[in-house]
Each structure stands twice: as C-alpha cells, then as structure tokens.
Amino acid sequence: MLNLLSVLQKERFSPRFYVAAATDNMSLQKVRTLENSLADETGVKVEETAQFMQIYRSREVGQSYLTSVWTTLIATAHALWIMFKIRPQVILCNGPGTCFPLCAIAFFFKVVGIRWSSIFYVESIARVRRLSLSGLLLYKLQIADQFFVQWPQLQRQYPRAHYVGCLM
Amino acid sequence: MASEGSSFPEPVPGAPRKLCFVTVGATAPFNSLIRAVLERPFLQALSSYGYTDLLLQYGRGGDNALKEAEAVDVDQDSLYHGEGIRIAGFAFREDGLSYEMKTTSGRGFGGFEAQGLIISHAGMLPLASSPTRAMLTSVDIGSGSILEGLRLGVPMIVVPNPQLLDNHQEDLAEELAGQGYVVHADVQAKDFEDNVRQAEEMRQRTRSWPPVNSGEAAPAGISEIIDEELGFRNLD
C-alpha cells in the first residue's frame, strides 16, 4: 500500500482515512510515519489530511467458516458505522478480507442512491494465479468500479481487471 | 567430512563478515527449515562461500531445533557455532525484521561488509509482535520478508512451508524463481545445501525490482486509470 500511495497524486485525495484490521498493529504505524513525513514536507497539520482507524475483521486466517458468519455480521455492522462516519468519495483497498464489508456497503449505498463512492480494488501481490476470496467476490459481483491485479496471468483470467505491474 | 571431493571453493582467510539470515515468519512453526540449515553439509556450504555468521529468526519453539542440531556446538560463553560459522537466533522481533534484512545487504549494517543471503519462508505476512491473534492477520502493506529482500537486491532462497495448506504462496515463489529473482527451494530435498550455490550464482546477475516487463503486455498506470474514473483532467 505504501508504494501504491506513492504513485497517487495525493493532493487530489484529501483528507485520507486509513482503515486497517483491528488485530494489525504494523500497517497503521507505517502509514502514520508516511503521513507524518508528508505533513512535515508540506507544512500542514497531519490531523487535517489523514486519520487512522481500525475495523474488525470478517474472518481471521484459518478461522472456521461457521463462526465466520457471526464475525462477518459484526464486521459489517462496524463497517456501516465507519462508512457513516467517513462518508468517502473514493475507496482504495488492497485486500484481502478487511475491505470487503466496506466495499459491499459502499456498493449498496450506490445501488439505493444514498451516496456515491468510487471503489478501487488492488489484488495482493501474493496472488499470481488465483484471486483471493475478497478479490473474487468484488470481481464477480462487479462491486469494484476498477479492479487491479499485479501479475499478467491474472489479467488473462479476469479480463475486466487492469494489470498494473508489481506495486509493492 | 570437510571438502574431499567437494566442488565447493575454499574460504578466504581474513575475509569480510558475511551473514546468512533465515526467517520462518510468524504464521506457523517451520522447524524443518531450521533443521535443514543446521545440517552439516549446509553449514559447510555456507563456510566454503565465505559466510561467517548465520542468524535465525526461528519462531515459536524453533530454539529446540537449534539446541538439538548435531552439527552445532556451544562454547564456554554459551554461543553457538558449527563448521566455523557463528550461529545466533531469536523467536520474533516486535517491530519487524528490517534491520536484520539490511545486515545482509552488504552496506555495513551490523558490521557485515559483504552482501549475504536471505532464506525466507514463502509467506507475505509481516512479522507480528507476538504469535497470538496478531499473527493471523493478513495485511498487505508489502512488508513481508520476500519483498524486503527483493527491494534490497540480496540473493534469496524462498522455501514454502509444507504444513501450510493454502499454497498460493507456492505460486509466488515459482513466479519469482522463474523470473530469476529468487531460488525456490524444497525444504525436504536431500541436497538442500545446493541452494546456497544457486543463490551465490544469482548474486552475479541480480535483477532490479520491480520487474520491467518486456515482451509482456505493458502494465497500465494505476494513477491514470483512477484519475480517469474520477473524471480528473490533467491540469498541467
């Protein structure tokens, strides 16, 4: 995500809200460091351009699918709350797992006409031949407005995806 | 014993310190990898290519594999060594392995002047602070050891863990090996030490990361696609 952020024109995307999984301690730390140095460079207070929050995961790696039903519901409720709080115009996610409830809710809002968010999904660099479950759902259900993969093999299998090279 | 009939070169006396760093990650124990790098033929291979030190991030319970290794001795200061290689290890690092990775980069970190070698599990997960729920988090900020190694341009041996069932990790290891970025190793192979030779050969021809694709369809610019979707026009 950090390399991905570096290729985006950040002045166009402000304020930036970073949402990471509740059990992930390292990602927000790293992004905070990036945003702090950006704020130092531009002389703006970091609180004005970036905020950081954590969301419950729908499913942990290795968790049984049965208990996942309940944790997915909780994650979805939490995602709903976050979506109301942030009200984003652009959602950029780089899966897997954490982002699905947020994207699904954003999509639902679009469909019923509450709010319009553009949804961009970048599949993990670790996915060379097969999509992750989140990726597959977002692709098949056409939830993402643009779907990005980092390896050409995936683009051949999923033609609506854009191959954007290794971003990490 | 030693190098009779061996095709390995003789180590140079007084040569700069050179580190082989092994990381098993935080997802699952990978004691079979620790055992494989502590086998006598492997330590001999390291020694013959001028390695002076072996550092192990051995994960939960991995210290047993270190203590039980036959080719490893403990001296009076409780320090490990085997076949002339100094050996040290730890289970996890709270804030990641960036420093340890850099000690293999040949830029003098930690006193290691020569570029070394990274032997990594095939996963992409970052090293979490402790092996509890945090270790199960799947986070894709690109901080897994494979990516750090690629960015540093250090020769790398990637070893999938046969105990982890979902092996899309294998796909990545194969792809990277096919493009000449890493050596893809099988922890159960009988001549596991041959991977050291392959990694040394790779040192001569390190490729820059990320790949510049030639012959393939050129990658699209993600920033441009996003701007177009959002209706931003180029204001320059």
Side-chain angles (χ1 to χ4, degrees):
Chain A
M1 179 61 86
L2 297 176
N3 282 20
L4 173 54
L5 290 172
S6 69
V7 300
L8 290 179
Q9 301 201 41
K10 280 179 277 297
E11 327 75 63
R12 290 179 173 163
F13 304 99
S14 191
R16 295 178 284 282
F17 295 86
Y18 293 95
V19 184
T23 46
D24 162 23
N25 299 315
M26 275 180 56
S27 301
L28 285 184
Q29 229 179 347
K30 294 209 169 193
V31 178
R32 253 184 233 275
T33 309
L34 174 70
E35 285 287 349
N36 281 336
S37 61
L38 263 181
D40 287 340
E41 268 174 48
T42 57
V44 179
K45 275 212 285 270
V46 71
E47 299 77 36
E48 288 171 26
T49 52
Q51 287 184 47
F52 309 91
M53 33 188 87
Q54 294 186 296
I55 186 174
Y56 294 113
R57 282 180 58 83
S58 334
R59 179 177 166 265
E60 300 289 348
V61 173
Q63 182 183 346
S64 80
Y65 283 101
L66 186 60
T67 55
S68 300
V69 173
W70 172 244
T71 51
T72 300
L73 287 174
I74 303 229
T76 307
H78 194 204
L80 202 54
W81 183 84
I82 288 185
M83 280 294 288
F84 274 119
K85 190 156 194 261
I86 301 181
R87 290 194 278 255
Q89 294 155 305
V90 176
I91 298 176
L92 174 59
C93 51
N94 164 217
T98 324
C99 65
F100 186 75
L102 289 166
C103 291
I105 288 168
F107 185 70
F108 173 72
F109 282 3
K110 253 196 281 206
V111 162
V112 303
I114 295 178
R115 164 151 207 102
W116 185 270
S117 308
S118 297
I119 302 173
F120 301 102
Y121 179 77
V122 184
E123 181 59 281
S124 160
I125 196 175
R127 294 292 178 164
V128 178
R129 294 183 202 152
R130 285 171 282 162
L131 292 182
S132 61
L133 181 59
S134 303
L136 204 55
L137 288 170
L138 291 174
Y139 183 88
K140 294 285 186 190
L141 300 176
Q142 304 202 37
I143 290 178
D145 293 293
Q146 298 293 345
F147 192 97
F148 302 105
V149 295
Q150 302 191 49
W151 295 97
Q153 297 91 321
L154 277 181
Q155 201 277 326
R156 287 194 286 269
Q157 279 189 63
Y158 300 99
R160 278 183 288 113
H162 297 280
Y163 160 55
V164 289
C166 294
L167 291 177
M168 301 285 171
Chain B
M1 255 305 261
S3 17
E4 300 207 2
S6 152
S7 56
F8 296 133
E10 290 296 325
V12 177
R17 293 182 69 195
K18 188 171 172 184
L19 177 69
C20 171
F21 176 55
V22 180
T23 166
V24 303
T27 313
F30 198 179
N31 289 356
S32 51
L33 177 58
I34 299 299
R35 283 192 293 271
V37 303
L38 294 175
E39 293 282 338
R40 201 176 296 276
F42 189 88
L43 294 173
Q44 285 171 345
L46 284 184
S47 178
S48 66
Y49 283 105
Y51 288 87
T52 56
D53 294 78
L54 174 64
L55 181 61
L56 310 169
Q57 180 268 314
Y58 47 61
R60 190 169 27 145
D63 52 338
N64 293 326
L66 176 55
K67 288 177 191 148
E68 289 162 12
E70 205 208 310
V72 175
D73 306 307
V74 187
D75 66 17
Q76 63 264 35
D77 301 315
S78 303
L79 298 172
Y80 295 99
H81 53 95
E83 301 296 321
I85 309 271
R86 280 177 293 250
I87 303 172
F90 56 94
F92 302 96
R93 281 277 185 258
E94 286 243 343
D95 37 15
L97 297 171
S98 290
Y99 182 75
E100 285 77 10
M101 296 273 164
K102 286 184 190 146
T103 57
T104 65
S105 64
R107 295 178 214 161
F109 286 89
F112 296 99
E113 300 88 1
Q115 190 187 57
L117 169 65
I118 295 171
I119 302 181
S120 172
H121 68 114
M124 293 295 290
L125 304 187
L127 195 60
S129 54
S130 73
T132 54
R133 276 190 77 202
M135 124 168 99
L136 302 177
T137 299
S138 167
V139 165
D140 204 7
I141 55 167
S143 67
S145 41
I146 296 184
L147 284 176
E148 292 217 42
L150 289 170
R151 285 194 281 257
L152 289 170
V154 175
M156 192 159 36
I157 299 172
V158 175
V159 193
N161 186 343
Q163 294 181 308
L164 294 176
L165 289 179
D166 167 22
N167 257 327
H168 71 270
Q169 294 176 4
E170 281 261 11
D171 294 348
L172 183 62
E174 273 184 48
E175 179 67 27
L176 292 174
Q179 291 201 32
Y181 280 103
V182 305
V183 176
H184 179 199
D186 174 3
V187 69
Q188 290 159 338
K190 283 190 59 179
D191 53 351
F192 188 78
E193 66 277 3
D194 188 60
N195 291 301
V196 181
R197 178 192 57 80
Q198 294 185 50
E200 287 295 321
E201 283 170 11
M202 189 164 275
R203 197 186 301 285
Q204 316 307 328
R205 42 180 174 92
T206 38
R207 298 188 52 189
S208 68
W209 180 264
V212 177
N213 293 281
S214 55
E216 284 280 6
I222 188 174
S223 193
E224 287 73 30
I225 297 176
I226 290 179
D227 285 350
E228 200 186 317
E229 173 75 22
L230 297 173
F232 287 141
R233 252 168 271 107
N234 199 336
L235 302 172
D236 301 327

